[in-house]
Amino acid sequence: MSATIRVADVFRKHWREYDRTNSVDPQAVNAVRHILQCRTAELGGHLYQCKGCGSEVPVYNSCLDRHCPTCQTVRKLEWLEARQAELLPVQYFHTVFTLPHQANPLVDCNRELLLNELFHTSSWVLQSFAADPQWRLEGSIGFIAMLHTWNQLIGKHFHMHCIVPGGVWRENTNEWVSCRTNYLFKKSSLADAFRNRYCKRLRALHRQGKLSFTGPAARLADQTQWNAFITELENISWAVWPKPTAGNPSQALDYLGRYTHRVAISDHRILKFQDGNVTFSWRDRSDDNKLKTRQIPAKEFIKRFLYHILPQGFQKIRYYGWLSPTKKKKILPLIRNALNVPEPVTQPREETTAERILRLTGVNVSKCPCCGKPKLAYVAEIPRNHTRAPP
C-alpha cells in the first residue's frame, strides 16, 4: 500500500520556486513554514524506545497551525468535547449562507472587511427572524457560525455554516419556545433577507469610502460600474439552506464537526503527486454528488491553497446570541431548567498525552511501529532542529 501523500509534500518540492516567482503575503509564508515543519525534527519532539524489540521511535511535535491539514483531527475532537456541555435536547438545524460568485472580485480586495460582514449579516438575519412574530418564535436565538472560503476544487466560494438549536429563549418570561419539527424559517425568505441586508451594507461601506478596488474589481471605482454591479447583486437569487440535522443533538454536533476545523483540502484527498502535477478527489454537487478526480499543476495547487489562508487573528468560528461567551454562562442554565434538563457534570481528567489521543481518536500511539506491541516507553526530549532521522 502506497504512503499517504500530504499537502506538505507538494509544498516541500515546489515552495521555493513558487515563493521566488510570486508575491506571497507574510501571513501565508508563516503558515507554509509551519506546514513544512509539522511533525519533523525542526520542531523537536520526544524519543521513545520499545521495551519489546528495542527500537527507538522519535515522535515529533505538531505545528498546531489552523491551516495545517495534519493538525486538525485532535483539535476538532477537543473542540467538539468542549461543546458537548452546551447541547440541548432539541432539533438542530444546519443553515448555510453563501455569497454569490459575482461578489468574489470585491471580496478579494476587501477580504477581512467583507468576510466580517458575512458573519454580521448571517447573524442579523437569524436573530431578526427569531424575534419576528411572523415565524411564531419571538425570542432570542443562539448559534455557532463558521466560515469556509473554498469549494471542492479549492476555488473561491465564500459561505457560512451555522448550527442552530431549533428554538428561542424568551427572557421576559423565562420560557423556551421550540420551532416546528424539521422547520426553522422559510428558505426563500431567509435568502431574500440575506441578500437585501448584505447589499445594504455594501452600499453603506461604499458611501463611507471604506471599500478598496484593485485587480478585477478596479472597474468598480467608476460610479456607473458600481451602480450596475450592486444592482446585479440585488436582482439575482442568493443561496441560503436551512436543513434539519438528523439524529440526536450529539449526532448534530458530530455533523457540525465535519466543518469546524477543515482546511481548503485534506491530505487524504490527494491521490497522486508526480511530474509537477497534483491529482485530488472532489465531489461534484451538480452531478448527484459524484466522486471525481481533478489534476492541476503543483504551482496552481499552491496558489489555490494559499488563497484560503485567513488574515492573522481572524476568527473563523464565532458564537452568537445566548451561545456567545458573555451570555451562555447565565442563559444556558435557565434554558436547561425550562427544558427540565440537568446541568452537565464534567470531571477533570488526569491523563497522559497518549491516553488523551487514544480517548479522542482511538489511535494507540504507544504501539511500536516496528513490532506492533504497545510497549513504547518515554526516553528523552528531542530538542528543536535535532538531526536524528526516523528509524
Side-chain angles (χ1 to χ4, degrees):
M1 186 174 180
S2 58
T4 301
I5 304 169
R6 299 167 57 202
V7 169
D9 297 327
V10 181
F11 276 95
R12 195 163 282 116
K13 188 166 185 179
H14 292 277
W15 171 245
R16 286 177 182 262
E17 181 184 357
Y18 185 92
D19 187 34
R20 187 171 60 249
T21 56
N22 293 271
S23 176
V24 183
D25 183 85
Q27 171 71 9
V29 172
N30 197 43
V32 172
R33 177 172 58 84
H34 292 160
I35 291 170
L36 291 174
Q37 291 176 336
C38 188
R39 299 188 187 182
T40 70
E42 289 189 60
L43 293 183
H46 301 86
L47 181 65
Y48 293 83
Q49 186 171 37
C50 180
K51 294 180 179 179
C53 66
S55 300
E56 285 190 343
V57 181
V59 178
Y60 298 118
N61 292 328
S62 300
C63 68
L64 300 182
D65 193 292
R66 62 177 173 169
H67 301 100
C68 176
T70 308
C71 289
Q72 300 311 304
T73 299
V74 172
R75 297 188 76 181
K76 178 191 78 173
L77 293 171
E78 289 175 337
W79 184 87
L80 289 175
E81 189 175 38
R83 303 282 77 75
Q84 285 287 339
E86 299 166 5
L87 286 177
L88 298 173
V90 300
Q91 173 68 60
Y92 278 74
F93 292 82
H94 176 210
T95 305
V96 183
F97 294 86
T98 304
L99 290 181
H101 287 183
Q102 288 90 331
N104 286 0
L106 186 62
V107 177
D108 281 348
C109 49
N110 298 275
R111 288 191 81 197
E112 189 163 2
L113 176 65
L114 294 188
L115 292 180
N116 272 322
E117 285 295 339
L118 177 55
F119 273 104
H120 299 331
T121 301
S122 302
S123 172
W124 182 90
V125 170
L126 287 173
Q127 295 189 56
S128 297
F129 274 55
D132 190 336
Q134 176 183 356
W135 307 107
R136 200 189 61 82
L137 295 177
E138 299 182 72
S140 62
I141 200 168
F143 62 96
I144 303 170
M146 64 211 65
L147 172 72
H148 282 183
T149 62
W150 58 83
N151 59 17
Q152 283 279 303
L153 292 173
I154 335 177
K156 302 170 187 177
H157 184 60
F158 304 106
H159 58 288
M160 189 74 60
H161 294 272
C162 300
I163 188 74
V164 187
V168 299
W169 176 245
R170 292 180 180 172
E171 194 165 0
N172 56 337
T173 58
N174 278 357
E175 179 186 10
W176 172 265
V177 180
S178 293
C179 68
R180 284 171 282 176
T181 305
N182 294 332
Y183 182 85
L184 183 62
F185 304 120
K186 188 177 179 181
K187 175 183 172 182
S188 60
S189 298
L190 283 172
D192 288 346
F194 175 51
R195 176 194 61 203
N196 296 342
R197 178 68 179 184
Y198 199 87
C199 288
K200 181 179 180 180
R201 290 297 303 144
L202 287 180
R203 285 187 179 276
L205 292 169
H206 182 260
R207 190 168 56 250
Q208 295 161 10
K210 293 183 178 180
L211 294 176
S212 298
F213 303 105
T214 58
R219 65 181 181 84
L220 300 180
D222 175 77
Q223 186 64 47
T224 301
Q225 293 278 355
W226 169 260
N227 291 340
F229 166 76
I230 200 70
T231 299
E232 178 188 11
L233 289 183
E234 290 172 336
N235 286 282
I236 60 176
S237 297
W238 288 37
V240 178
W241 188 257
K243 179 183 177 183
T245 59
N248 59 42
S250 291
Q251 289 173 311
L253 191 62
D254 289 339
Y255 177 83
L256 176 67
R258 303 177 194 175
Y259 300 94
T260 52
H261 291 75
R262 275 186 181 175
V263 295
I265 185 169
S266 302
D267 291 334
H268 75 270
R269 286 179 55 199
I270 302 178
L271 307 176
K272 187 186 299 183
F273 173 41
Q274 64 182 33
D275 302 325
N277 294 304
V278 180
T279 302
F280 60 91
S281 63
W282 68 288
R283 290 198 177 274
D284 189 346
R285 309 298 187 199
S286 64
D287 189 13
D288 200 26
N289 212 31
K290 289 181 180 176
L291 188 64
K292 300 181 179 181
T293 62
R294 176 66 60 92
Q295 182 184 92
I296 59 175
K299 292 180 183 178
E300 176 64 20
F301 179 89
I302 291 174
K303 178 183 177 182
R304 295 189 191 186
F305 188 93
L306 293 181
Y307 181 84
H308 304 291
I309 293 176
L310 295 171
Q312 186 171 8
F314 188 92
Q315 292 180 301
K316 64 175 289 187
I317 303 177
R318 303 184 188 183
Y319 308 84
Y320 291 95
W322 41 260
L323 278 176
S324 66
T326 57
K327 293 183 178 180
K328 66 182 178 183
K329 288 185 179 179
K330 174 186 175 182
I331 297 181
L332 265 179
L334 297 175
I335 295 176
R336 290 194 192 98
N337 184 60
L339 291 170
N340 198 26
V341 179
E343 286 287 322
V345 178
T346 56
Q347 298 292 338
R349 299 180 187 271
E350 294 184 5
E351 56 188 357
T352 65
T353 300
E355 289 170 341
R356 178 165 149 271
I357 293 174
L358 178 61
R359 176 173 58 82
L360 291 173
T361 68
V363 176
N364 188 348
V365 295
S366 66
K367 280 188 177 181
C368 174
C370 300
C371 68
K373 296 180 180 179
K375 292 187 176 182
L376 289 182
Y378 177 75
V379 175
E381 181 179 351
I382 303 174
R384 292 173 67 94
N385 297 315
H386 193 77
T387 56
R388 179 190 294 272

